[in-house]
Every structure is written in C-alpha cells, then in structure tokens.
Amino acid sequence: MSQKLFLDDFEVGQRFVSDSHLIDEAQIKAFAAQFDPQPFHLDDEAAKSTLFRGLAASGWHTAAITMRLMVQGGMPVEGGLIGAGGDISWPKPTRPGDVLHVESEVVSVTPSRSKPQQGMMTVRNETLNQHGDVVQVLLVKMVVPRRVS
C-alpha cells in the first residue's frame, strides 16, 4: 500500500502484514558485535551452553528488523511511525536462517482532545518466523496526524 493513512483512516481490528526479511548468522554477529556483544549472539560454541542452546539474535536486532519492515510497508502511517511508548517481549529467539515478517493489528484509535491535528493509536505488532512462531510482540502507542479539513 503506497497511500499513507491518517488517524481518521484507521479502525480497531484493521490488520497489516509486512514483507519479509531473511536473517543470517553474519547479520546476527555483526549487529551483536556493535550493539549487544554477548557470547550467545557472537559465538556458536559458547551459545550452545546458554539458555538459548545455540546462536540467537539480540532482541534489539529483532526489534530493529521489525521497525524496518513496518516502515517499508507494514504500517502506512502519514508522517512516519512515531512511538510514544510501548511494551516489548521476545517469547522465542530469532535464529540464523529465520525469515521474519510483521503482522500488525490496530487495538485503539483515539483523537486528541487538546491537539485536534493528531491522535493516538495503539497497535499490536507480532514478528513471526517462517514457522509461524512469534519471536517478538510489540504493543506500541503511536502519535498519528489527523486529516486536515
């Protein structure tokens, strides 16, 4: 969907699905080396003896991929995806070879009383792998512009 949507265009229950992204071992290690340098993200052998029982992507890497997928077509919000808070969890690890995509559902749409040019929208985003396993859940509040009349 190339058309950007305003708050007035969204409704509770509306769903969006992003494209997909293949994550490989090199991406996992490169991200971890720069931003989350822990052994279970950097070293295959060391990762085997951890809670993850093998190499796993940083949750923050999964979050970054989720954001990219949402921006590149998962959520067509006018003015961009502007977060105002949220809750994130990682029920399963992201592994090398996973093909991730994001499924988003509008949970609430609330026009602002004090700022009529905008409102808040709450969206539940699930990042899933190729098996349908949820690897991240992001419940986010977003600031969304209203259509100017």
Side-chain angles (χ1 to χ4, degrees):
M1 177 180 288
S2 60
Q3 180 184 1
K4 299 294 184 179
L5 303 176
F6 292 86
L7 186 77
D8 314 84
D9 301 319
F10 289 99
E11 57 187 49
V12 173
Q14 197 169 7
R15 296 182 61 82
F16 300 89
V17 178
S18 75
D19 288 335
S20 60
H21 175 83
L22 169 64
I23 186 170
D24 60 28
E25 185 174 321
Q27 291 173 52
I28 289 171
K29 289 179 178 181
F31 183 95
Q34 189 168 6
F35 299 109
D36 192 355
Q38 299 186 75
F40 39 81
H41 301 318
L42 292 168
D43 183 307
D44 300 325
E45 275 307 306
K48 289 177 184 175
S49 64
T50 70
L51 170 80
F52 296 108
R53 298 186 177 286
L55 193 69
S58 167
W60 300 115
H61 191 181
T62 302
I65 292 168
T66 297
M67 186 67 191
R68 179 175 146 201
L69 289 170
M70 289 173 61
V71 167
Q72 290 183 327
M75 286 289 302
V77 178
E78 179 64 37
L81 302 178
I82 302 170
D87 183 40
I88 192 167
S89 63
W90 297 282
K92 288 194 169 200
T94 297
R95 305 285 189 181
D98 277 352
V99 178
L100 304 178
H101 76 278
V102 183
E103 297 183 8
S104 304
E105 182 176 356
V106 177
V107 176
S108 70
V109 178
T110 309
S112 173
R113 292 181 194 192
S114 61
K115 298 178 182 175
Q117 74 278 10
Q118 68 188 44
M120 297 293 287
M121 183 167 69
T122 302
V123 180
R124 179 182 169 88
N125 303 284
E126 291 186 344
T127 306
L128 298 98
N129 66 19
Q130 69 279 10
H131 305 295
D133 299 326
V134 177
V135 296
Q136 178 182 285
V137 177
L138 172 63
L139 186 65
V140 65
K141 294 178 186 175
M142 298 169 53
V143 179
V144 181
R146 296 194 71 191
R147 194 176 302 286
V148 178
S149 48

